[in-house]
Amino acid sequence: MNRTTSLGRYTQSCGAKEMCILLMNDDYICRNIVSDMLDHCRYEAFSYESEMDALNIIREKKDDLELILTNINRTHANRYGIIDHIKREFKLQIVLMPVDIDDEKNASRSGGNGVTVYIMKSLSMNDINHLWATSFAREKGKTELSSSGKLIHVENGSSSVASEACKRTRTLEVNEENGNVEKKPRVVWTKEMHQKFLDAVAQLGHDKAFPKKIVELMNLPGLTRENVASHLQKYRMCMKRAQEGFTGSSYDFLDPFGFNTSQRNLRQPHWNPFGTGSRNAPTTHSGLNYHGSRFGVTPDISFLNTIRLKPDHNFRVYGDEKKSVLLSIGENRASSNTSFAGFRLAGDGKSVEFGQNSHFSEGTRIVNEKSYIQQQHSLPEVGNDDFSHHLSFPFSFTSAEPVKLSSNQQWQSSIAALIDIDKTMPPISTQPPLNPLASLTQQPSSWSNWAEPIKLPYQQSCIPSLQDVDQTKTPIMTPLQPCATPALAEWDETASFVPSQSAALMWTEWAEPASVSSQPPAASGNNANANSEIFSDFTSSSLPPEFRQLGMAGDDDGVDAAAICVFDDLFFDRQDLT
DNA sequence: ACTCAAATAT
DNA sequence: GATATTTGAG
């Protein structure tokens, strides 16, 4: 492969210098990692099949090459040999891109002598600039790469790299040493920064919060008034939008950004744009993207009434425009262990199953493939890393039988009731509780960091208590009276919270044997196998055909991927829609 | 210095 | 393609 790209702005500031990079990419993750770079630089990339290939290519091109860029991971223990060799024979500099921290550690432990620099994934423009600078510097006689930003210098195999590299504390730093190619880094508003920002705004008062004062109060070196002004602009915009579109929904966003904040701020009016007003008119701000529902109606999302933010970012919500809901849990980029929880339509087409599933993969390869799932339906990840609406909602697995309901409305209220339950979030594990009812009395300590419960807007009486359920029969959920949802303001903040006991939920292990022909739609591209592997985890084999519209969600950066089943028929009566 | 919105970057 | 941030005009 050979591709040359010029890049607008950047090329201009760098002249027409061509940076030639050898990409030793034996899998796509490498390409992914450097895709930024590929988009922004003139480059040549080569793929290779064997180490010999690589060496031959290098011999051929060595006069043009500036850098060697390669990824590395645990499975590449023998990669270091070639790296050493390259270093010795060609005197070329090598940039190593560990896939995750472990790989990096591994790299430095098991040799990797010759490696000049590590770059953690997600190259920034800054990194690229730096590489450019290095190329220039090299021509001028300087020989070594220096470190800056996420470029990590490694000497003698020792490195203190990983933690720093991963913190993404890409704050403002000016690095002039390499001349004019250093561009002003883009400010990334971290949670901490945002919190400071919010504190400042709160302190100044909403109407008197102006950029200049805010910068002062925030007191972060390098942060400019312009930066803050920009953030403020966005803040106001979010605030406004929040007030119009989503007011009074029980969505308990803590601030219009979706940044997490501590619970103590929750009820401060300036804080929670969703605290008052009327409900309805869901917008994309809901966190679940409901644009362009193919039904052409605005879905009623009241069933999600008590979704709220968890104090940390442990959850990510995936949704599609049709209300499938799936949470990924424990998103840790450095590990390949991701769990999912969600709810979906059960096999009978008339009940809801809650479930969870945990993926664990040993090698990065599997994980990576999972991450490259093609989207079969548009299942936008909710938000993004910086400003996403990280939602959580507690739900329970409290009974062994499915809920049976007959009308859409009942569905809605029952789901609302179910997900309102606050006390019974089970610890994430791959095993179902032996006795689902036990979760009502046990509260694993791991729940302790959950946010304070929001008072239920639903009447407790709507929900059958445990005692009412005859465990020997198939419990039927008594029809729920749809209850009006009071605005947040009407909630009784002081009333003690009584967990409702949804006795009619079926606990289902999310993964079921894919024995029936509910094959996922064939994925285009070459990840079909990986796709179906994931799919089988989330696909109910007993799902009746008419409900077998499955969607997939995945992000493209390494870890998360999931299949979601479509929920339309739960919430929309087909007859109503024609 | 502030705000808005277009331009860029991610 | 959607958002986030920067830039620059008013």
Side-chain angles (χ1 to χ4, degrees), chain A residues 160-216:
Chain A
S160 55
V161 180
S163 55
E164 285 199 35
C166 286
K167 272 185 187 166
R168 281 187 141 268
T169 47
R170 217 195 291 160
T171 44
L172 302 173
E173 295 169 11
V174 186
N175 185 343
E176 285 300 321
E177 63 178 290
N178 286 308
N180 43 14
V181 272
E182 206 63 47
K183 258 187 62 122
K184 188 159 84 178
R186 208 180 149 99
V187 171
V188 175
W189 283 82
T190 63
K191 247 193 298 181
E192 291 71 26
M193 289 165 75
H194 181 61
Q195 185 57 60
K196 280 202 161 195
F197 169 85
L198 291 170
D199 289 344
V201 171
Q203 188 178 327
L204 291 167
H206 247 191
D207 37 351
K208 287 164 236 151
F210 297 120
K212 195 177 177 186
K213 286 287 180 191
I214 299 174
V215 202
E216 287 173 18

Side-chain angles (χ1 to χ4, degrees), chain A residues 10 16 147 162 190 230 276 297 304 402 426 450 473 489 513 540 555:
Chain A
Y10 184 72
S147 69
T190 63
S230 167
T276 56
V297 296
L304 289 175
W450 281 69
K473 295 180 185 172
S540 168
D555 68 15

Side-chain angles (χ1 to χ4, degrees), chain A residues 261-411:
Chain A
T261 57
S262 61
Q263 189 70 22
R264 72 191 146 79
N265 290 320
L266 181 57
R267 294 187 178 84
Q268 293 176 296
H270 68 266
W271 232 136
N272 182 356
F274 305 102
T276 56
S278 67
R279 163 165 51 92
N280 65 30
T283 69
T284 55
H285 200 64
S286 67
L288 297 177
N289 190 342
Y290 293 136
H291 278 318
S293 158
R294 63 188 159 99
F295 297 109
V297 296
T298 304
D300 180 353
I301 55 170
S302 58
F303 77 104
L304 289 175
N305 260 329
T306 58
I307 282 185
R308 18 156 246 206
L309 285 162
K310 194 169 182 273
D312 59 38
H313 278 199
N314 233 2
F315 269 51
R316 175 177 291 190
V317 176
Y318 295 85
D320 65 1
E321 56 189 33
K322 302 169 222 83
K323 296 179 183 171
S324 307
V325 176
L326 184 89
L327 308 168
S328 87
I329 303 151
E331 180 185 347
N332 180 351
R333 295 253 181 272
S335 86
S336 47
N337 192 353
T338 304
S339 302
F340 296 99
F343 46 86
R344 66 175 179 191
L345 188 65
D348 60 4
K350 294 184 176 168
S351 41
V352 175
E353 296 170 349
F354 288 67
Q356 57 190 10
N357 178 271
S358 175
H359 285 297
F360 183 76
S361 311
E362 306 239 340
T364 48
R365 180 125 198 118
I366 293 169
V367 172
N368 293 341
E369 287 191 356
K370 284 181 177 176
S371 76
Y372 270 77
I373 283 185
Q374 328 250 317
Q375 297 198 353
Q376 296 297 326
H377 298 277
S378 178
L379 295 175
E381 178 185 314
V382 177
N384 67 27
D385 283 344
D386 293 325
F387 285 95
S388 67
H389 304 128
H390 290 270
L391 308 175
S392 70
F393 50 88
F395 54 90
S396 65
F397 306 86
T398 54
S399 170
E401 294 298 333
V403 179
K404 303 275 183 190
L405 290 169
S406 54
S407 81
N408 293 332
Q409 193 152 50
Q410 286 169 358
W411 270 115

Side-chain angles (χ1 to χ4, degrees), chain A residues 7 16 25 57 74 113-114 149 161 177 213 216 258 310 394 466 483 503 523 527-528 558-559 578:
Chain A
L7 19 128
N25 55 324
I57 291 170
R74 283 170 271 228
N113 284 332
V161 180
E177 63 178 290
K213 286 287 180 191
E216 287 173 18
K310 194 169 182 273
L466 264 189
C483 309
N527 286 313
V559 180
T578 51

Side-chain angles (χ1 to χ4, degrees), chain A residues 139-163:
Chain A
E139 289 198 337
K140 290 180 200 156
K142 298 184 196 171
T143 46
E144 282 295 301
L145 286 163
S146 60
S147 69
S148 111
K150 275 185 296 178
L151 295 173
I152 314 295
H153 194 77
V154 173
E155 295 183 40
N156 300 329
S158 73
S159 82
S160 55
V161 180
S163 55

Side-chain angles (χ1 to χ4, degrees), chain A residues 430-451:
Chain A
T430 53
Q431 296 302 316
L434 287 179
N435 172 11
L437 303 180
S439 58
L440 283 178
T441 50
Q442 283 174 2
Q443 285 198 28
S445 54
S446 58
W447 306 346
S448 57
N449 60 347
W450 281 69

